Amino acid sequence: MPASPPDTLSLSSIKVTLLHDQCTIRWHHETPAVLPSLTGLERAVTEQHLANFELWHAEDSARTPQASDHDIARTKRFIDDANQRRNDLTEQCDVLLLRSLSRQNLPAPGAELHSESPGLILDRLSILSLKLFHTREEIDRPGAPAGHAARNVERLRILAEQRDDLAAALDRLWQQVLNGRRSFKLYRQLKMYNDPALNPAVYGPGSHS
């Protein structure tokens, strides 16, 4: 892989997927937390992955058959908060990358615009790490019905292929940006449901009754 220009952040899918997988494994055996030693883009990527990790397990919890209405409502509020954090951190990854690129006058003016930013790709890679981990769990699940393991072996193959494709696409995009042939923008999510001033169910008539 060509070297990054001086003073430009290095973005490597190998490092990202390894970080995702290491965190996924560790967080299933200890209290999930971001190591205090992490800084910059690595920290933002890890915090964003933690938001997805928490979302994954909250979504599972919300579907527990024994969950009460109170439990589901509380979990739903947590999911909303975690999802907002996830979106904010996805944008933060792009902010850090664009800030670094700007020191080299990149992305190049007039370069072809890519419709998906690196931050959005990092988010998708994070989710794929979680899918791969939990699919492996299902392959080895004791007492699973007949055919369950075989079905999940095939799912694992598909997920691994999809992650390999996406990781290669991230590396290709990044090199094209560094070479001045491609550009990307910061795409703000501008979510409305978590903003009391923009959600009619919150500010509308009867919302405080």
Side-chain angles (χ1 to χ4, degrees):
M1 180 183 296
S4 299
D7 300 323
T8 301
L9 282 177
S10 175
L11 181 60
S12 163
S13 69
I14 293 176
K15 292 181 180 179
V16 167
T17 53
L18 180 61
L19 177 63
H20 283 161
D21 288 348
Q22 288 175 337
C23 289
T24 300
I25 293 169
R26 187 172 74 249
W27 292 341
H28 278 94
H29 294 94
E30 60 185 52
T31 302
V34 176
L35 296 176
S37 59
L38 297 182
T39 59
L41 180 65
E42 190 176 21
R43 184 173 191 85
V45 168
T46 307
E47 289 180 342
Q48 198 266 355
H49 187 51
L50 178 58
N52 274 323
F53 181 93
E54 292 174 344
L55 277 167
W56 180 286
H57 295 91
E59 292 282 5
D60 280 353
S61 177
R63 290 161 176 78
T64 303
Q66 296 80 19
S68 67
D69 290 346
H70 175 74
D71 292 335
I72 294 172
R74 182 180 57 198
T75 302
K76 171 60 177 169
R77 292 185 184 279
F78 176 85
I79 288 171
D80 284 348
D81 290 342
N83 199 43
Q84 185 65 58
R85 182 158 40 92
R86 166 200 176 190
N87 289 319
D88 291 345
L89 287 162
T90 297
E91 292 180 9
Q92 180 64 16
C93 289
D94 285 328
V95 167
L96 292 170
L97 290 169
L98 287 167
R99 186 180 298 160
S100 175
L101 288 167
S102 70
R103 293 195 286 268
Q104 301 295 324
N105 297 317
L106 293 170
E112 184 177 358
L113 180 65
H114 198 268
S115 63
E116 186 176 39
S117 72
L120 292 170
I121 298 175
L122 290 169
D123 181 56
R124 292 171 61 194
L125 287 171
S126 166
I127 296 168
L128 280 165
S129 175
L130 293 165
K131 287 183 177 181
L132 286 162
F133 178 89
H134 287 283
T135 300
R136 292 189 187 99
E137 277 194 328
E138 289 302 316
I139 291 172
D140 299 326
R141 188 176 114 197
H148 185 78
R151 173 173 175 262
N152 281 281
V153 165
E154 175 61 11
R155 286 172 59 90
L156 186 67
R157 182 193 67 77
I158 294 170
L159 289 168
E161 179 180 340
Q162 290 177 173
R163 183 165 76 164
D164 286 346
D165 290 346
L166 188 59
L170 177 62
D171 287 336
R172 186 164 55 250
L173 170 61
W174 187 243
Q175 287 307 311
Q176 288 174 339
V177 170
L178 295 181
N179 293 335
R181 295 188 292 116
R182 203 87 164 157
S183 69
F184 68 92
K185 292 180 179 180
L186 172 63
Y187 285 107
R188 296 291 186 185
Q189 298 298 309
L190 300 177
K191 298 290 186 179
M192 302 178 74
Y193 60 85
N194 274 339
D195 189 333
L198 298 176
N199 185 340
V202 177
Y203 70 72
S207 59
H208 303 292
S209 60

